Amino acid sequence: MSNYRFDRLKILVVDDNVHMRKLVVTILQAFGVIQIFEADSGDRAWHILREANPDVIMLDWVMEGMSGLDLVQMIRTDPQTPNPFVPVIMLTGHTSLDHVARARDAGVNEFIAKPVSVKTVMSRLVAVIEHPRPYVRTQGYFGPCRRRRGAEEYRGPERRNEAPQQQAAE
Amino acid sequence: MKRQQPIELFMPPNMLKAKVGGGLGGIDLAAMKRAESAMETLKSEFGDWIAEDVAALIAARARYAKTPDAGARDALLRAAHDIKGQAPTFNYPLIARVAASLSRMIGEIPPGGAIPLSLVDAHVTAIQVIHKNRMQDTNDKTAQALCAELDARVDELVVVAAKT
């Protein structure tokens, strides 16, 4: 038993589909999270983010206007961001390796592949609490290190310099 | 190979762990149980939710049929993508499969490429029929044959689109 104090967390849930938001919020409330903020667009999320400074963001990829990837990029690199290290858990129906790589290159910490389940929400929350990844800054990227192990010893090529963060959100 | 440049690698303080505590880590079973129970309660609303999602798809299809521009195409993709992700939760896996096929078709045909409205309609109609008849069993032979046919048609289209 872990006895996390989820009631101390502030979580922002971003999804333009009201049903998905309600589903995720219901699960988080049952976990004991009290401070839950909801946004139905990337623009609204950015506004709330700057006011509430949440501890964790749960974010949909496909949204009208600003996409989830665009928002992650802003969170990581915009000078106005309140916390460039905030863990981002992406909810997505995209599960191909190419999509996962693009999301990681934009600065996503963890994924939840839809359909959402109680077990996956819990496991990704625990992952960002217990196994935070180091952050890396190169000329073209800032965000969580994609390598879960061995990052400290990495001496290979800086591939992200050739595939800057800008491209991830395109 | 290019000259290796230094990368800045650092570990921010784990503020989350400091905030929520937790003994040995791992899954919080009591919280899981509460959430599963809350999901059971929520299930009574799933019938309305899938109906609203199907209605949103029909509206997006109508918009695309009237004006097949980039905005209408994006709206159609979002509606199909939402259903693909949520229908399994609402206990409509066959609807999810058809919506996945529709999402794939729209997503893999390059912007500006022609998306045949007849094939969009075939998907949307299939979703309506599955929903209207409450076909929730993935073993339904008729539904399986329909899904396979839609998959095959999309396969053909995607192959052609990839070559052009």
Side-chain angles (χ1 to χ4, degrees):
Chain A
M1 183 176 287
S2 49
N3 293 322
Y4 290 116
R5 293 294 305 270
F6 288 126
D7 58 309
R8 294 175 176 168
L9 282 183
K10 282 190 286 185
I11 299 185
L12 171 60
V13 179
V14 189
D15 199 312
D16 58 354
N17 185 287
V18 65
H19 303 144
M20 185 53 66
R21 285 204 311 276
K22 188 165 182 185
L23 196 70
V24 173
V25 167
T26 298
I27 293 171
L28 293 175
Q29 284 174 333
F31 285 171
V33 183
I34 296 168
Q35 297 183 78
I36 302 172
F37 303 87
E38 293 183 52
D40 60 3
S41 69
D43 289 322
R44 180 76 187 134
W46 180 245
H47 179 75
I48 294 174
L49 184 75
R50 293 181 60 197
E51 286 199 339
N53 194 15
D55 302 302
V56 177
I57 298 172
M58 300 186 70
L59 171 67
D60 185 30
W61 181 322
V62 178
M63 294 187 292
E64 187 172 10
M66 186 193 296
S67 75
L69 285 193
D70 295 333
L71 182 61
V72 176
Q73 192 178 7
M74 282 181 75
I75 291 167
R76 299 292 178 232
T77 61
D78 193 287
Q80 305 287 321
T81 187
N83 178 9
F85 305 112
V86 63
V88 175
I89 300 172
M90 181 157 271
L91 305 159
T92 178
H94 293 309
T95 50
S96 71
L97 286 177
D98 174 55
H99 281 100
V100 171
R102 282 176 61 199
R104 288 224 185 275
D105 284 350
V108 168
N109 296 72
E110 297 288 339
F111 291 89
I112 293 178
K114 294 179 183 177
V116 170
S117 73
V118 168
K119 188 177 175 185
T120 50
V121 174
M122 173 62 81
S123 104
R124 299 313 185 274
L125 259 185
V126 169
V128 296
I129 293 166
E130 298 290 344
H131 310 291
R133 284 188 273 149
Y135 275 68
V136 61
R137 186 192 308 276
T138 71
Q139 193 175 1
Y141 175 78
F142 172 75
C145 183
R146 224 161 53 163
R147 296 167 187 276
R148 288 184 182 272
R149 293 190 197 87
E152 294 77 2
E153 293 80 30
Y154 184 67
R155 295 292 181 271
E158 276 192 83
R159 280 186 287 269
R160 285 198 179 99
N161 271 351
E162 293 159 16
Q165 199 158 27
Q166 188 75 33
Q167 293 175 5
E170 288 174 356
Chain B
M1 186 182 287
K2 286 183 178 178
R3 179 179 173 273
Q4 307 300 298
Q5 295 183 6
I7 59 173
E8 187 185 349
L9 190 68
F10 51 98
M11 180 64 85
N14 190 345
M15 303 306 289
L16 269 186
K17 181 69 176 170
K19 205 166 188 179
V20 303
L24 301 172
I27 302 298
D28 188 330
L29 292 175
M32 291 265 291
K33 202 171 176 180
R34 288 196 305 273
E36 295 286 5
S37 175
M39 286 282 278
E40 281 299 316
T41 306
L42 207 58
K43 275 184 180 172
S44 64
E45 297 185 39
F46 286 175
D48 291 339
W49 291 9
I50 188 71
E52 288 172 24
D53 283 347
V54 171
L57 178 68
I58 293 167
R61 178 264 162 209
R63 178 182 165 188
Y64 183 76
K66 189 177 178 186
T67 315
D69 57 16
R73 177 178 165 147
D74 285 349
L76 187 62
L77 177 59
R78 283 196 305 277
H81 195 79
D82 278 354
I83 292 181
K84 172 192 165 189
Q86 293 170 178
T89 305
F90 304 155
N91 204 21
Y92 277 97
L94 289 169
I95 286 183
R97 182 171 167 189
V98 177
S101 174
L102 179 57
S103 299
R104 180 172 163 243
M105 176 172 73
I106 302 167
E108 294 200 16
I109 293 177
I115 299 173
L117 186 60
S118 59
L119 199 46
V120 171
D121 285 350
H123 284 83
V124 174
T125 304
I127 287 172
Q128 282 181 274
V129 169
I130 294 168
H131 178 244
K132 187 178 176 186
N133 294 311
R134 301 181 186 280
M135 297 162 75
Q136 294 171 306
D137 180 5
T138 50
N139 295 318
D140 186 291
K141 298 291 181 197
T142 308
Q144 281 183 345
L146 178 61
C147 290
E149 176 62 21
L150 290 172
D151 285 343
R153 295 282 303 279
V154 170
D155 283 345
E156 289 170 14
L157 200 66
V158 167
V159 168
V160 171
K163 287 179 181 171
T164 55

